[in-house]
Amino acid sequence: MLPSERRRAHGSLCSITPAHSQLTNVEMRTDSAACSLSSNHIGCSAAVTDFATLYSYNDVSPHSPVHRAKAMAISTLFSSLPSVLFLLFLFFSTASSANVTYDRRSLIIDGQRKLLISASIHYPRSVPAMWPGLVAAAKEGGADVIETYVFWNGHELSPGNYYFEDRFDLVKFVRIVRDAGMYMILRIGPFVAAEWNFGGVPVWLHYVPGTVFRTNSEPFKRHMKSFTTYIVDMMKREKFFASQGGHIILAQIENEYGDIERVYGDGGKPYAMWAASMALSQNTGVPWIMCQQYDAPDPVINTCNSFYCDQFTPNSPNKPKIWTENWPGWFQTFGARNPHRPAEDIAFSVARFFQKGGSLLNYYMYHGGTNFDRTSGGPFITTSYDYDAPIDEYGLVRLPKWEHLKELHKAIKLCEHALLHGEQMLQVLGPLQEVNVYSDPSGGCVAFIANMDEENDTWIIFQNKSYNVPAWSVSILPDCKNVAFNTAKVRSQTFIVDMVPENLQALIISPKKSSGDLQWNIFMEKAGIWGESDFVRKGFVDHINTTKDSTDYLWYTTSLYVDESEEYLSGRSHPILMVESKGHAVHAFVNQELQASASGNGSDSTFKLQTPISLRAGKNEIALLSMTVGLQNAGPFYEWVGAGLTSVKIRLNNGTIDLSSNTWIYKIGLEGEQQNIFKADGKNDVKWMPKSDPPRNQPLTWYKVVVDPPEGNEPVGLDMQFMGKGQAWLNGKAIGRYWPVTSSIHDECAPSCNYRGKFFPDKCRTGCGEPTQRWYHVPRSWFQPSGNILVIFEEKGGDPTKITFSRRRVIGLCGFVSTDYPSMDLESWDQSIRSNNGDKAAVHLKCPEGMLISSITFASFGNPSGTCRSYRQGSCHYPNSFSVVEKACRHKSQCAVSLSEDNFGNDLCPSMVKMLAVEAACSW
């Protein structure tokens, strides 16, 4: 198990300080009407008569649209009210900055306690064109805060050489969050782990003399402080910190160090304390976080990272209870199955956290995104970093997870004041059942009813009223009477998403040339030494120390002389090549012919290769292409973990030849890499060979083809199912490593996932015997209207003619609701309570914009079973279910089907709690 897997699987504590709250509507009185101000709308009438109202809302962040609207409202009075100069001075002097502090209950912003929902989105794991949509989707999903790491190795390419462009335009990303009216948590680190290459620390730092990462090492501390200061100063110049009137309310130094601090001996604790002191000396005016730092010194707050954090207690009674990372899924490694975490269990964990006094929750990840280029770490972390997150890798909301959590956030926000100001009382109602009640000083009452039983639903009597609480669930009662939300009852529809294939379309360059005629160009790499060798050495060198991560590839080449009299030349027996490696993978060539490949995996990078080979009389060239698949990203002294060959032998009939101590010739990287063959401008010395029919199953081959973009505007994936292993580029932008290696058919996969009981990464895996990753995200913004250059480097052989683009599209919907589900509208809770006269729950279906519900493929009211795409009728079934749903939904973009007597009568299976299951198709 990787260090990061051990960390995440067993949970960890973090050190953090508070975050931001959704901007609520503010009313400002005018002489004729109220100005309704929200993060999405500004509307005001004539002259303002109540100036006190205008500048008294100190809980509204000055960076927000509310703040800007207040300034606009005042400025409109300038010409008619001379005294406005004084008011403007008073307004900006009181609201130009936000004071961020905390107490034992929560983060406090401008004197107001805040209950906050945060969403992790890593800017380099998407593209600038996607950032506004991702942030907007997080906000619509109920998030108040956007959280991101700052990726040191993506910004400081060499000492003092900084890069902040394209996907690494940090200022642009932070500004987009600000303009969306959201707070921000900036996790500077600068060590991040994050399944990111080398944990985000630049590889060059490892080769600075005297440097040891993450301990009391002066060179490391010097460079760490320099980068931290650079980022802080950059944020200060933009006035992004809340203390300057901005929206960054928290900053993080270091990351998840507490579990390994002791491993570093006498250097561990002094380093951790130095990091805290160094961060505080930056004078940001906002609290700092130190993730998983059990001994975090004041004023740093220790927080929790895990699948569950309800039982976490801060290391001081003066610190609030904060959850830095709630993992809504899990990362994936090449060759492994696909992990999933059910929406019901995530909601359960969140509800339990707030039930037990939590105040800030961050989803890691809310949008995982893509490990473009060679940024994935691990090693063996896939190019996809989807993380089964509420927003998927391609930027589409994942239903029901996104919607279920959105409803949860609404319910929790209804409880905000009581949770942060009320007195808590615990009522134990059974061995695994309890209620936490918060009594608001203003008279409000909030209750969380929890059933921790992993198997049995139960009836709970609370305040003389009965509540049915499913196993492993929490019911939220914002008024201590009515259930607004139950974590196990998913009312949201489920999206059925497919990757719709589309053949590569050639650029039409003449009227006689059809769009189906692709013109391929190829370039062949030489196995072994191309050009001049880099150096010659007896024995082996470490792969990473040699390449310094400038490339994945390192050639080890030697020769073996075979006498003509050797018996195995007759073909009656074959020599056996035996290779051992520290990792991560190897392709073995003999006399320019690929013999075999081998690799480690996400649990163990080391491996052995044994394969028969063919030798000829005379000199034989043995060329071994060693490969890395992302560098170590976490663990104590992780920068010293090596890779590359450790032993090479050939077993013959009469004994074994050990080549390990031979003279080996080394070559770093590939010729195509050195020539920048993948660059869109075509400025290189490589001579491409045109091929109307490209070679198949040929190793060490570069392919280039000019194509038009896929139709439509859906997200795009590159289908590499029929290729071997390599890397891909579009218009010079690195899509990333591809490797459609399959997981074992003998692994255990779950046809359906039982959300009940504690989640762990192997609980709900799917995809046994299938490629770990078949599709590779190609952002739409990378495409030109025509003439797109797609370049593929194939290491071991595949069929490029079967490469396709696929459009990620919602093709259908499922809905499943029971008669005992909460049916009240959380948007207008008070009104919903007053008007709730036996309203029934309903199945709500809505196709994406521009699409209609074209057909109903399943409908059953009664006791249907199964899951989306595999529903089955039960013993109780209303015979007209299909026609009721079809009448309500067909040929509409959206519909609602109530579980009412008008639709389904009242005499069907009268003693049974009934359910409605629907599956529908969406089309243009």
Side-chain angles (χ1 to χ4, degrees), residues 56-72:
S56 63
Y57 288 93
N58 292 327
D59 61 326
V60 177
S61 174
H63 75 271
S64 71
V66 174
H67 176 274
R68 293 194 291 270
K70 288 196 277 189
M72 288 171 59

Side-chain angles (χ1 to χ4, degrees), residues 324-343:
T324 332
E325 293 187 15
N326 180 359
W327 308 313
W330 202 243
F331 59 85
Q332 194 170 8
T333 57
F334 283 115
R337 301 156 293 157
N338 296 313
H340 304 281
R341 187 181 181 191

Side-chain angles (χ1 to χ4, degrees), residues 368-583:
T370 306
N371 291 314
F372 297 110
D373 204 351
R374 299 168 50 249
T375 54
S376 64
F380 294 99
I381 301 296
T382 55
T383 300
S384 171
Y385 199 65
D386 180 84
Y387 224 89
D388 201 37
I391 304 175
D392 74 13
E393 177 185 4
Y394 294 82
L396 299 178
V397 295
R398 173 173 274 116
L399 299 185
K401 186 172 286 187
W402 179 86
E403 182 72 32
H404 191 53
L405 295 177
K406 177 183 178 179
E407 293 295 307
L408 168 64
H409 301 154
K410 290 179 184 177
I412 290 171
K413 287 292 185 177
L414 290 171
C415 307
E416 180 174 16
H417 194 270
L419 287 174
L420 300 185
H421 297 87
E423 293 300 320
Q424 181 184 169
M425 181 181 66
L426 172 65
Q427 297 181 24
V428 178
L429 304 177
L432 294 169
Q433 295 79 32
E434 63 184 23
V435 179
N436 285 86
V437 180
Y438 291 81
S439 300
D440 195 316
S442 61
C445 181
V446 164
F448 288 72
I449 305 176
N451 179 15
M452 288 83 74
D453 194 310
E454 298 182 10
E455 297 180 0
N456 303 305
D457 299 354
T458 188
W459 283 93
I460 288 178
I461 306 299
F462 171 65
Q463 294 189 353
N464 299 318
K465 188 174 179 180
S466 295
Y467 298 89
N468 180 257
V469 187
W472 201 252
S473 79
V474 177
S475 289
I476 301 175
L477 289 66
D479 58 0
C480 283
K481 297 177 183 178
N482 297 282
V483 176
F485 185 89
N486 178 271
T487 60
K489 297 179 178 181
V490 180
R491 298 190 299 181
S492 166
Q493 66 182 4
T494 297
F495 271 169
I496 302 173
V497 182
D498 200 3
M499 299 297 287
V500 181
E502 182 174 303
N503 292 333
L504 301 182
Q505 297 297 313
L507 172 67
I508 300 176
I509 59 176
S510 71
K512 296 181 179 180
K513 180 177 173 59
S514 74
S515 62
D517 297 331
L518 287 172
Q519 180 61 52
W520 294 87
N521 287 274
I522 69 164
F523 173 75
M524 293 292 302
E525 290 277 341
K526 181 180 182 297
I529 306 306
W530 51 270
E532 298 293 326
S533 65
D534 287 321
F535 59 92
V536 178
R537 188 76 49 85
K538 280 188 176 292
F540 299 125
V541 297
D542 180 79
H543 181 131
I544 298 171
N545 283 340
T546 303
T547 65
K548 295 180 172 59
D549 199 41
S550 60
T551 172
D552 279 359
Y553 306 104
L554 177 64
W555 283 104
Y556 295 68
T557 304
T558 193
S559 59
L560 173 68
Y561 185 83
V562 175
D563 190 271
E564 292 184 356
S565 63
E566 296 290 348
E567 178 183 352
Y568 49 79
L569 293 177
S570 64
R572 290 192 295 271
S573 63
H574 286 283
I576 303 297
L577 175 66
M578 301 180 294
V579 178
E580 296 183 13
S581 175
K582 291 180 290 186

Side-chain angles (χ1 to χ4, degrees), residues 12 44 146 160 274 396 489 667 681 738 849 873 877 913:
S12 55
C44 292
I146 297 297
W274 168 86
L396 299 178
K489 297 179 178 181
K667 189 67 180 178
D681 57 18
Y738 68 84
E849 185 176 355
Q873 288 184 13
H877 170 70
V913 175

Side-chain angles (χ1 to χ4, degrees), residues 140 148 157 212 220 249 268 287 312 316 322 369 436 444 567 591 662 673 730 828 842 869:
E140 186 182 350
T148 187
L157 307 183
V212 180
F220 182 77
I249 55 173
F312 163 71
S316 165
I322 296 173
N436 285 86
E567 178 183 352
N591 299 323
N662 267 30
E673 284 182 307
L730 182 75
S828 52
R869 307 196 85 171

